[in-house]
Amino acid sequence: VQLQASGGGLVQAGGSLRLSCLASGRTSSTFAMSWFRQRPGKEREFVAAILWHGNGTWYGDSVKGRFTISRDNAESTMYLQMNTVKPEDTAVYYCAADGGIVDGKLFGSWGQGTQVTVSS
């Protein structure tokens, strides 16, 4: 699976932004897709995940109630709606298919990342 993230940019604190992740290749066998982020000077961290087939979503504690993950299987696209953003949401956001991090090592398929900068 190949992934391409887009939609990042500069947004003011309290504003909104929507990220997209276009998937191509053998997406039919994908179990779940996720968003991760890497803030300046920090390790990459989990943001949200969604089952590619069926119902199921999960969120990191720092984004619960503010971010919403969704998907459009017909368009092979996953979204991350970011509301009420904070300066601490500033990061490079990555999408992943059946991806994760174990002992600092990435597994699964990953996109190239899109920069989100929140100004105070």
Side-chain angles (χ1 to χ4, degrees):
V1 177
Q2 293 77 48
L3 303 171
Q4 183 172 355
S6 62
L10 177 64
V11 60
Q12 286 190 329
S16 298
L17 202 63
R18 189 176 80 158
L19 306 183
S20 300
C21 178
L22 176 63
S24 59
R26 295 189 63 182
T27 58
S28 59
S29 60
T30 297
F31 177 72
M33 292 187 64
S34 308
W35 288 99
F36 287 76
R37 68 185 182 187
Q38 189 160 15
R39 293 184 277 187
K42 303 289 186 179
E43 294 184 347
R44 198 169 298 194
E45 63 180 356
F46 171 76
V47 174
I50 187 167
L51 293 180
W52 196 240
H53 305 285
N55 296 317
T57 57
W58 297 265
Y59 294 92
D61 288 341
S62 61
V63 306
K64 279 180 184 176
R66 299 188 298 121
F67 291 8
T68 302
I69 191 170
S70 63
R71 68 173 199 266
D72 183 336
N73 293 74
E75 298 293 330
S76 296
T77 302
M78 174 179 65
Y79 302 98
L80 185 69
Q81 179 65 43
M82 306 168 61
N83 295 331
T84 319
V85 296
K86 304 174 181 180
E88 51 264 42
D89 293 322
T90 294
V92 177
Y93 284 73
Y94 298 90
C95 55
D98 295 335
I101 305 172
V102 176
D103 293 333
K105 295 183 180 179
L106 307 181
F107 62 88
S109 301
W110 292 76
Q112 83 287 1
T114 185
Q115 174 72 47
V116 173
T117 302
V118 181
S119 62
S120 56

